[in-house]
Amino acid sequence: MKAFAELLDRLVLTPQRNAKIRLLVDYFHSAPDPSRGYALAAIAGTLSLNTVKPALIRDLLLERMDGVLFQYSYDYVGDLAETVSLAWEPPAEIAPEDIPLGEVVERLQKAGRSEVRSLVREMLDRLDTSGRFALLKLATGGLRIGVSARLAKQALAEMGSREVTEIETLWHGLEPPYRPLFLWLTGEGEMPVLKTPAIFHSVMLATAGAKASSMVSIRATTRPSGNGTVSASNSPMSAGSAVSTLAAVTRFPPPFPKSSRLPGLTASSTASFWSAERCAATAPPVRSPTCSRG
């Protein structure tokens, strides 16, 4: 937990994106399995430890601390995990020690409801202040270190000199602690094979209309005719011409003329008349009810 706690502290104090990636890459290279896999899952939000609740952590501290003093401390610090890690006083006969992150996660995952309380108390007694803070942040799932799942995948891609799209393609089919993934990235194993044949592909970004239309062979030229319909010819056309033609087809007619009011009509009635004429000019052969006059 000591290395993971140090990673969390440095990520919180590092605002630069590239520097965060470098910290993650260094940790993934140095940390052993399965600790680095569980750290990745915690950072990416795929690690679930539903047996540990904030109320349980608060009750454990209240066993050794006055309730009023805890409320004052909590109000001053503002974070439950930080408050408990600083205020927790282990027995004098227990010396602080380092517990591997993989052992912490696996013991918490296997513990039943009746065993969680004593297990968390034992770990808090054995860890130092930074280790307790990392444990509580890990158990409650609220790291808040300014690292997203996408940034963690980017760090994995740089670690193994891969494209981030390759990581995203495999990501949905892998589970913590991601041992096959790390073996592949470090060159110690083959690329993981998913159990399901379905492969995830990230959404492509939109491209310019003219650039996208140049990829398609446009064989028909559309142009408006006098009766409101659209005619087509079989002559080929370029992408630029196609865009210009489509723009001409979809162009609205000019606004109603700025002339004096029609005889016998008020100004508002004149405007309504010209609006109806404009709507009728752009309507298809089967006129919409909104385009009727009156």
Side-chain angles (χ1 to χ4, degrees):
M1 291 294 292
K2 186 175 182 180
F4 181 64
E6 183 179 356
L7 173 67
L8 296 183
D9 291 339
R10 297 185 67 181
L11 287 174
V12 169
L13 300 176
T14 304
Q16 297 86 359
R17 177 181 179 275
N18 292 337
K20 287 179 181 290
I21 292 177
R22 176 49 52 191
L23 290 175
L24 291 172
V25 172
D26 293 342
Y27 175 81
F28 292 147
H29 271 301
S30 59
D33 290 320
S35 294
R36 60 180 176 182
Y38 288 123
L40 171 62
I43 294 173
T46 59
L47 181 65
S48 178
L49 299 174
N50 297 325
T51 55
V52 182
K53 304 294 183 182
L56 171 63
I57 299 173
R58 185 183 296 107
D59 292 342
L60 287 175
L61 182 60
L62 291 177
E63 294 178 355
R64 306 184 182 183
M65 187 177 186
D66 179 72
V68 177
L69 181 58
F70 166 72
Q71 290 296 334
Y72 280 127
S73 303
Y74 190 19
D75 291 340
Y76 181 81
V77 176
D79 183 81
L80 179 62
E82 188 173 358
T83 303
V84 175
S85 63
L86 293 173
W88 186 269
E89 293 185 4
E93 63 273 11
I94 300 179
E97 59 178 303
D98 189 18
I99 308 176
L101 176 59
E103 178 183 341
V104 171
V105 174
E106 291 176 354
R107 291 186 63 184
L108 289 175
Q109 288 178 338
K110 296 177 181 178
R113 290 178 177 268
S114 60
E115 304 171 344
V116 172
R117 191 181 190 91
S118 59
L119 179 59
V120 175
R121 184 190 298 111
E122 174 197 346
M123 291 182 177
L124 291 175
D125 287 338
R126 294 171 57 189
L127 294 170
D128 59 2
T129 303
S130 60
R132 288 194 293 265
F133 177 75
L135 169 64
L136 297 177
K137 282 294 187 180
L138 182 73
T140 56
L143 296 182
R144 292 186 297 181
I145 55 176
V147 178
S148 62
R150 173 72 180 186
L151 193 66
K153 297 174 187 176
Q154 185 66 47
L156 293 175
E158 294 198 12
M159 172 187 176
S161 300
R162 304 285 181 176
E163 295 291 336
V164 69
T165 53
E166 297 183 74
I167 307 298
E168 292 180 336
T169 301
L170 300 171
W171 186 258
H172 75 286
L174 301 175
E175 297 179 356
Y178 304 110
R179 184 176 281 105
L181 177 63
F182 281 107
L183 292 178
W184 172 56
L185 293 176
T186 56
E188 302 175 25
E190 299 294 333
M191 182 177 182
V193 179
L194 304 182
K195 297 180 180 179
T196 173
I199 298 177
F200 172 79
H201 294 282
S202 58
V203 181
M204 293 186 298
L205 299 177
T207 56
K211 188 175 182 179
S213 60
S214 63
M215 302 170 61
V216 182
S217 178
I218 303 177
R219 305 296 299 177
T221 304
T222 58
R223 58 177 180 272
S225 58
N227 56 2
T229 62
V230 177
S231 61
S233 64
N234 293 328
S235 59
M237 62 186 308
S238 63
S241 300
V243 174
S244 300
T245 304
L246 292 175
V249 172
T250 57
R251 186 170 57 240
F252 287 102
F256 58 86
K258 298 180 180 179
S259 58
S260 60
R261 67 182 62 174
L262 296 177
L265 296 179
T266 62
S268 59
S269 300
T270 303
S272 300
F273 173 81
W274 286 116
S275 297
E277 287 293 330
R278 183 185 181 193
C279 185
T282 59
V286 179
R287 184 171 300 176
S288 173
T290 58
C291 294
S292 59
R293 300 183 188 177

